[in-house]
């Protein structure tokens, strides 16, 4: 008998799963909006962290042209050097956005952990019973949060560099880099968003969460890609955190039941 953590369930209709993942966001919105007080409190952490991350993104955008020149010293004297560096500058902005969205998500979830845990717990209670694992100590939970942030950076930086290089491929590179960034960003955001409900079930490490998501990749991407794209829009990201927390809890329940 195979290890259930290592086997992804074969799906007959990926499109149906993608739509189901998107539907979880809609269902999560309905659940959270019926809890107006928790929804309002859930807006506070992203309001605080968004100020910092918008400033960081503005700084990265401002420096992108200089970074492009630094990355392409070999192009000095080329006829199309300005066009090349403009493309590299855009790619630097896009990859910076990818990294900052993922760090913004992890930081906001850490800052608002008690609030988002409360939202997740209420959704779990509404949806039915589950097998709860013993709680972590606050010190261990803090250490897990810090290591998660470091792992997100360690994973995203080389992947972002890869997308930067792919984006330099003539004609199709920009499209491939954009699609890859959305898929990667959606997957990583989902790893972060399921942290609270997965942790209550004893699924606490990044590797354990990864194996859980692999049970139904299409469902995960249907939830994660729209969440990532919406989190990339500062005004919408404020509203999305409590909604995505509720939807991530529903997603966790569905994946654990596989």
């Amino acid at each position: 008998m195979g290890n259930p953590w290592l086997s992804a369930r074969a799906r007959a209709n990926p499109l149906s799963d993608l739509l189901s993942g998107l539907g979880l966001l809609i269902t999560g919105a309905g659940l959270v909006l019926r809890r107006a007080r928790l929804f309002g409190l859930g807006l506070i952490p992203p309001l605080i962290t968004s100020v910092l991350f918008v400033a960081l993104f503005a700084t990265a955008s401002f420096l992108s042209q200089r970074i492009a020149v630094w990355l392409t010293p070999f192009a000095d004297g080329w006829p199309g050097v300005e066009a090349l560096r403009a493309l590299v500058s855009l790619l630097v902005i896009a990859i910076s956005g990818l990294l900052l969205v993922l760090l913004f998500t992890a930081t906001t979830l850490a800052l608002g952990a008690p609030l988002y845990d409360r939202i997740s717990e209420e959704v779990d209670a509404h949806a039915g019973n589950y097998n709860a694992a013993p709680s972590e100590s606050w010190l261990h939970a803090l250490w897990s949060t810090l290591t998660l942030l470091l792992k997100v950076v360690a994973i995203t930086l080389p992947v972002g560099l890869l997308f930067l290089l792919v984006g330099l491929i003539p004609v199709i590179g920009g499209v491939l880099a954009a699609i890859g960034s959305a898929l990667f960003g959606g997957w990583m955001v989902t790893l972060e968003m399921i942290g609270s409900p997965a942790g209550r079930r004893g699924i606490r490490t990044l590797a354990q969460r990864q194996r859980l998501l692999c049970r139904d990749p299409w469902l995960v991407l249907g939830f994660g890609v729209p969440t990532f794209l919406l989190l990339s829009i500062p005004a919408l990201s404020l509203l999305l955190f409590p909604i995505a927390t509720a939807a991530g809890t529903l997603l966790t329940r569905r994946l654990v039941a596989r």
Side-chain angles (χ1 to χ4, degrees):
M1 181 176 179
N3 188 333
W5 287 111
L6 301 177
S7 59
R9 185 177 179 228
R11 303 296 293 170
N13 193 340
L15 179 59
S16 176
D17 284 344
L18 288 171
L19 293 175
S20 293
L22 178 60
L24 291 175
L25 274 176
I26 299 171
T27 303
L31 290 172
V32 168
L33 291 175
R34 288 200 292 269
R35 295 160 173 80
R37 182 173 175 275
L38 276 181
F39 177 69
L41 290 174
L43 302 180
I44 296 174
L47 184 61
I48 296 171
T49 55
S50 63
V51 175
L52 171 63
F53 282 93
V54 167
L56 289 174
F57 182 70
T59 301
S61 301
F62 176 74
L63 296 175
S64 62
Q65 185 61 39
R66 296 182 186 180
I67 296 172
V69 173
W70 177 74
L71 289 173
T72 57
F74 55 85
D76 289 337
W78 287 13
V81 63
E82 292 303 324
L84 173 64
R85 286 174 173 167
L87 173 61
V88 173
S89 177
L90 288 174
L91 290 171
V92 167
I93 293 172
I95 300 308
S96 299
L98 170 65
L99 176 61
L100 289 174
V101 167
L102 296 179
L103 288 177
F104 168 62
T105 303
T107 304
T108 302
L109 291 173
L111 179 65
L115 295 173
Y116 298 128
D117 286 348
R118 175 72 181 278
I119 292 172
S120 182
E121 287 168 359
E122 289 208 11
V123 171
D124 253 337
H126 171 82
N129 296 328
Y130 64 95
N131 294 323
S135 300
E136 286 185 296
S137 68
W138 69 269
L139 187 60
H140 192 276
L142 176 61
W143 175 251
S144 297
T145 299
L146 293 176
T147 55
L148 174 64
L149 285 171
L150 293 175
K151 288 177 181 178
V152 167
V153 174
I155 294 170
T156 304
L157 282 178
V159 174
L161 178 60
L162 175 62
F163 289 146
L164 179 61
L165 296 175
V166 169
L168 297 177
I169 299 173
V171 183
I172 63 170
V175 174
L176 292 176
I179 294 173
S181 295
L183 294 174
F184 174 75
W187 191 272
M188 293 297 293
V189 159
T190 306
L191 279 173
E192 296 173 356
M193 283 295 179
I194 67 168
S196 177
R200 287 196 299 278
R201 292 161 171 82
I203 305 168
R204 295 187 172 119
T205 69
L206 203 60
Q208 288 176 327
R209 295 188 206 175
Q210 174 80 0
R211 291 193 291 268
L212 180 64
L213 297 192
C214 286
R215 293 184 175 188
D216 198 334
W218 293 109
L219 181 68
V220 169
L221 290 174
F223 164 81
V225 172
T227 300
F228 171 75
L229 294 176
L230 291 172
L231 285 173
S232 303
I233 305 172
L236 291 180
S237 67
L238 300 179
L239 302 175
L240 192 65
F241 267 93
I243 292 172
T245 298
T249 303
L250 298 175
L251 174 64
T252 302
R253 294 181 66 92
R254 189 172 297 189
L255 292 173
V256 168
R258 292 286 189 237

